[in-house]
Each structure stands twice: as C-alpha cells, then as structure tokens.
Amino acid sequence: LAKTTQPISMDSYEGQEVNITCSHNNIATNDYITWYQQFPSQGPRFIIQGYKTKVTNEVASLFIPADRKSSTLSLPRVSLSDTAVYYCLVGGPNTGGFKTIFGAGTRLFVKA
Amino acid sequence: AAGVIQSPRHLIKEKRETATLKCYPIPRHDTVYWYQQGPGQDPQFLISFYEKMQSDKGSIPDRFSAQQFSDYHSELNMSSLELGDSALYFCASSARTARADTQYFGPGTRLTVL
C-alpha cells in the first residue's frame, strides 16, 4: 500500500482557493488517488478520485502530475462549511486488496 | 440515493459486556469495511469483507469478530469491552467491480464503554 504524506493543518479565509498536496512516492501502476472529507462525528465523505492529469467535479479539482508521485486537491472559493479534515488515499482493488490505510489527514480551518 | 446504514447510532455498554454493531451496505455493493475512530484520531481500518468472505484484517483486536451475511449486511461483534473501545465505528461499502476502490461511509455508531 502506498504511504501518503499531507500537511497536518492549513488555514484559509472565506472565498480563497485552497490547495492541499499529498505525497505518495511509492504509488503503484494500478493505484487510484482518492480524497475524502470528514466533519466531526461524521463518516468520511468521498470528494474526488483520479488516476492521472486533472479531474474536476462540482466540488473540487484534482491535479496529478505525470509521475503520479503527488497529487493536489484544489477547493475553489472555500466557505466556513469547508472546515474539515481532508484525507488522501492511494490504492485500488488490484493493489493492497481491501485494506485501506488512512494516514494523518489535513485539518483545514476556514476563517471569516 | 441510498446510503450506508448503521445501527445503532449510539450504544452505551459497561466494561466486560458485549456489543454488536450492524451495517447495511449500499445496494449492489459487495464489499464492506469496518473502521474505528477514537477521539481526535484518524480512522483505523479493522477488517473488510468481499462477497461474504473476509478479505483483509487490520488492527482488529482478538476480542472483536465480524462477518458478512448472505444479504451483504455485516455485523461487528465486540466482547469483553474495555474503556479504550469507546470510539466511533464506521462501516463503508464499495463495489468490487468498480475500477477503483471508492468507499462510501455510513454515519457511524458511537460506542461508549463505562
């Protein structure tokens, strides 16, 4: 399973764009990169997933460079409600089976 | 859209008692995962099942056991409860046939051991 490294915490202000980078140097060929968001006392919520280049949905964008050893979650124009913990996970059904390791996520604080 | 259902949502037990947590995955999802999350901690993987067979084990204590039934729901059985077992327990489900492992989490069961 690929180990991931993220910043422990980040601060931002409402309306700003926030970029959270995750390092995964030993990502395997078949691994996907998935980001989850978690609010206190709630289950993690799927945000976005990608394999390479760029993926965008209604919530966020995910940028993955050609070597795939890192990825950046981009949250456009954050609001107070985006204050949460963000987790980057690397893996897939063909690698590591069904064992998921949550590393230390990034605690994002959005201020007014 | 249907989501993962967990029951009960809250559970209070005494030390050395037993507890059973239930998880009902999203329809047509064949894989179930269990996680434990202590206060201020990140989710810790406990165990997973695919097509009713145990798939992987994480940091699950020997006092815990789990299984997935024919209707794909899963139960986590916890015996000889200890104070340190107090935590949020999440269940997640995914579709094995998907190209990537996207897990959908339930709301969790908050277990308090007194």
Side-chain angles (χ1 to χ4, degrees), chain A residues 38 41 49 87 98 100, chain B residues 37 42 55-56 96 103 110:
Chain A
Q38 186 179 30
S41 299
Q49 184 178 77
Y87 293 98
F98 304 105
T100 305
Chain B
Q37 187 171 30
D42 302 306
S55 178
D56 279 284
R96 173 68 172 86
Q103 296 180 34
R110 181 176 295 280

Side-chain angles (χ1 to χ4, degrees), chain B residues 3 7-8 11 18-19 24 29 32 39 43 45-46 49 55 57 61 67 90 95-96 105 107 109 113:
Chain B
S7 69
L11 190 59
T18 61
Y24 298 86
H29 278 193
V32 168
F45 170 77
L46 293 178
F49 292 86
S55 178
K57 287 183 72 171
Q67 58 182 324
F90 293 108
R96 173 68 172 86
F105 286 76
T109 293
V113 182

